């Protein structure tokens, strides 16, 4: 009787099988995109349906749930009093975290944050911080001693591609919905669970991140899980309104594939053009959700 090949060993056969399917799927996606098609009949630069609910938590100062196609992300905002940073003693602080759990995808594992979660948190944090969306100076209680710290906690619930953009929208919506908790100036303590009607000191520069993905020679937005696995590189742009125009506040490149200068310029032009199309819709949905 012939011996079974090595690939039949426990765990190896399944792994090889997955790799083979992945390669076939990638070829199909690439060939479809070359013809201007996608598996779900969207255009190359078309976003999936965006739904926003806010608030979704009675315990958080602000919260929101964002659905981007089948991708679902919840974000919560909490506030506490702490010492300021030494280089900005009269300004509040911001801490952003993302937790990727098996609840959202079988690709994620329990345990300390992996590099993917750290990158997601940094992209969201930089977009909010660099845009000037939060007026940190107004979060100062006593210079050099006490300031408000904003904690943004983001929890993907279901991952079906484009977590970056979904997390950024959820964070922005949660901040728009947030109110200040009660603070006892005599004791210097925050009364957790008790809220005021005072909103966070936000500006008009709400950032929305658009991530441009490159698969072979095609550029797409808002990929589903399979398309995202087939990508060769991506660039995320945090963009906010500035008068009648807009401004890019941060850029984050992902994956190892290098980009030529013309490709980078094409991605920038694509991001700005598409941002101008979808930003009004997203901003209006956040506004309506927060008014409920």
């Amino acid at each position: 009787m012939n011996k079974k090949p090595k690939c039949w060993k426990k765990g190896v056969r399944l792994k090889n099988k997955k790799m083979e399917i992945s390669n076939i799927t990638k070829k199909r996606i690439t060939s479809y995109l070359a013809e201007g098609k996608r598996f779900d009949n969207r255009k190359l630069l078309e976003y999936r349906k965006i739904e926003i609910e806010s608030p979704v938590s009675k315990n958080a100062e602000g919260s929101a749930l964002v659905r981007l196609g089948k991708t679902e992300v919840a974000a919560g905002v909490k506030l506490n009093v702490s010492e300021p940073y030494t280089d900005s003693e009269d300004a509040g602080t911001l801490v952003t975290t993302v937790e990727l759990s098996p609840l959202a995808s079988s690709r994620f594992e329990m345990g300390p944050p992996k590099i993917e979660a750290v990158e997601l948190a940094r992209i969201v944090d930089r977009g909010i911080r660099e845009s000037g969306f939060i007026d940190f100076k107004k979060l100062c209680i006593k210079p050099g001693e006490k300031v408000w710290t904003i904690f943004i906690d983001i929890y993907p619930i279901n991952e079906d591609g484009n977590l970056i953009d979904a997390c950024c929208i959820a964070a922005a919506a949660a901040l728009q919905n947030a109110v200040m908790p009660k603070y006892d100036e005599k004791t210097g303590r925050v009364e957790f669970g008790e809220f005021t009607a005072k909103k966070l000191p936000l500006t008009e520069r709400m950032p929305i991140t658009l991530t441009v993905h490159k698969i072979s020679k095609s550029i797409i937005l808002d990929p589903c899980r399979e398309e995202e696995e087939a990508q060769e590189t991506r660039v995320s742009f945090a963009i906010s309104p500035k008068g009648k125009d807009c401004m890019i506040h941060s850029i984050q490149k992902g994956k190892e594939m290098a980009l030529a200068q013309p490709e980078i310029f094409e991605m920038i032009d694509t991001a700005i053009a598409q941002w101008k199309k979808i930003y009004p819709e997203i901003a209006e949905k956040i506004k309506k959700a927060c008014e409920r």
Side-chain angles (χ1 to χ4, degrees), residues 36 38 40-50 68 162 219-224 227 270 274 277-278 281:
R38 296 173 80 166
D40 54 8
N41 295 318
R42 284 185 291 149
K43 297 177 182 178
L44 299 191
L45 303 179
E46 184 179 352
Y47 259 66
R48 290 169 291 182
K49 183 180 179 181
I50 300 174
L68 188 52
N162 201 18
I219 286 180
I220 68 170
L221 293 178
D222 188 26
C224 63
E227 290 173 332
T270 298
Q274 296 305 311
K277 291 181 180 180
I278 70 169
E281 175 192 351

Side-chain angles (χ1 to χ4, degrees), residues 3-288:
K3 292 183 178 180
K4 291 181 179 179
K6 292 182 179 180
C7 66
W8 281 65
K9 289 183 179 181
K10 186 177 180 180
V12 177
R13 183 175 181 236
L14 180 60
K15 183 178 179 182
N16 288 347
K17 185 177 181 181
K18 284 186 177 180
M19 288 174 64
E20 183 181 355
I21 292 174
S22 177
N23 289 335
I24 292 173
T25 302
K26 183 175 180 179
K27 289 180 180 178
R28 289 182 61 196
I29 290 173
T30 302
S31 62
Y32 265 59
L33 292 178
E35 298 174 8
K37 302 176 183 178
R38 296 173 80 166
F39 286 168
D40 54 8
N41 295 318
R42 284 185 291 149
K43 297 177 182 178
L44 299 191
L45 303 179
E46 184 179 352
Y47 259 66
R48 290 169 291 182
K49 183 180 179 181
I50 300 174
E51 298 177 272
I52 301 172
E53 293 181 31
S54 183
V56 292
S57 171
K58 66 178 182 179
N59 297 315
E61 274 77 71
S63 60
L65 176 68
V66 169
R67 297 184 185 91
L68 188 52
K70 294 181 180 179
T71 293
E72 293 182 76
V73 173
V77 171
K78 293 295 292 181
L79 285 95
N80 203 350
V81 174
S82 60
E83 292 183 6
Y85 296 139
T86 55
D87 61 347
S88 53
E89 295 187 341
D90 61 343
T93 58
L94 174 67
V95 178
T96 306
T97 59
V98 176
E99 183 171 334
L100 300 179
S101 73
L103 171 69
S105 171
S106 58
R107 299 188 308 108
F108 304 145
E109 300 176 354
M110 298 296 291
K114 303 296 188 297
I115 186 65
E116 189 174 4
V118 174
E119 182 187 28
L120 264 170
R122 286 181 177 176
I123 292 174
V124 176
D125 190 283
R126 284 177 58 201
I128 293 170
R129 193 184 301 273
E130 297 301 324
S131 65
F133 182 42
I134 301 172
D135 189 341
F136 287 103
K137 296 288 186 180
K138 292 183 179 179
L139 292 174
C140 178
I141 300 173
K142 189 173 182 180
E145 294 186 21
K146 292 181 181 180
V147 298
W148 285 102
T149 295
I150 300 175
F151 297 90
I152 303 176
D153 298 314
I154 303 171
Y155 304 92
I157 299 172
N158 188 56
E159 195 270 342
D160 187 37
N162 201 18
L163 268 185
I164 294 176
D165 294 5
C167 286
C168 292
I169 295 171
L175 287 169
Q176 289 279 24
N177 170 255
V179 294
M180 302 294 293
K182 286 187 177 180
Y183 174 68
D184 190 326
E185 294 184 4
K186 293 182 179 180
T187 63
R189 297 178 62 179
V190 177
E191 303 295 334
F192 292 107
E194 297 185 36
F195 310 118
T196 68
K198 187 178 179 182
K199 291 281 192 177
L200 282 179
L202 304 179
T203 70
E204 299 288 326
R205 299 187 294 276
M206 183 179 72
I208 294 298
T209 297
L210 265 71
T211 304
V212 183
H213 301 256
K214 191 172 187 295
I215 303 176
S216 186
K217 297 181 180 180
S218 301
I219 286 180
I220 68 170
L221 293 178
D222 188 26
C224 63
R225 177 70 257 164
E226 292 79 11
E227 290 173 332
E228 201 164 65
E229 288 180 350
Q231 71 178 338
E232 294 160 341
T233 189
R234 59 171 162 77
V235 182
S236 299
F237 301 89
I239 309 174
S240 77
K242 185 180 181 182
K244 295 182 179 180
D245 211 335
C246 63
M247 177 176 287
I248 297 176
H249 299 283
S250 67
I251 301 175
Q252 176 78 22
K253 181 186 176 298
K255 302 295 182 179
E256 296 178 357
M257 180 181 174
L259 289 167
Q261 191 177 73
E263 293 175 310
I264 295 174
F265 288 154
E266 181 184 4
M267 286 183 160
I268 292 173
D269 291 341
T270 298
I272 292 174
Q274 296 305 311
W275 179 91
K276 290 180 178 179
K277 291 181 180 180
I278 70 169
Y279 185 86
E281 175 192 351
I282 294 174
E284 183 63 23
K285 287 186 175 182
I286 290 177
K287 180 181 177 182
K288 287 184 177 179

